Amino acid sequence: MTTPLGESYKFNQEEGLYYYLTIMSLLEGVSVYELDLELKFQEKLENYEACAGIKKAIDEADYKTYSELKLIALELDDKYNI
């Protein structure tokens, strides 16, 4: 089954936003445990865009340093302008 281009684009945009927000949460001191709880909550809501973004950020937090996560956040700041 294929998805229309618009749906795929929307999924990627929302995934990217949740990824950015999760990176920012990690930098602000939110624990991976708390983010894992949020991931489970989003799974129950069937919000798969959120799940993908949150999981990607949690996985990267396992092997990236604080400084590397900060650089990612700085790169994404302009895109999301939050």
Side-chain angles (χ1 to χ4, degrees):
M1 179 175 156
T2 60
T3 59
L5 183 58
E7 287 182 30
S8 177
Y9 176 78
K10 183 177 180 252
F11 184 97
N12 289 336
Q13 290 296 106
E14 289 187 35
E15 175 188 8
L17 177 59
Y18 277 96
Y19 170 72
Y20 171 71
L21 294 172
T22 305
I23 293 289
M24 295 303 293
S25 295
L26 286 163
L27 292 172
E28 291 174 359
V30 176
S31 71
V32 171
Y33 174 77
E34 290 173 288
L35 293 170
D36 228 8
L37 292 175
E38 180 64 23
L39 178 60
K40 287 175 178 51
F41 178 72
Q42 294 297 331
E43 285 174 348
K44 286 181 183 178
L45 296 176
E46 297 181 1
N47 186 355
Y48 301 117
E49 298 89 342
C51 293
I54 294 168
K55 179 153 178 36
K56 180 179 176 184
I58 290 172
D59 289 347
E60 287 189 7
D62 283 342
Y63 65 90
K64 291 196 185 270
T65 64
Y66 179 89
S67 296
E68 290 171 322
L69 292 175
K70 185 71 174 163
L71 284 174
I72 291 169
L74 289 173
E75 290 173 6
L76 294 173
D77 276 344
D78 289 335
K79 181 176 181 178
Y80 294 105
N81 204 14
I82 295 176

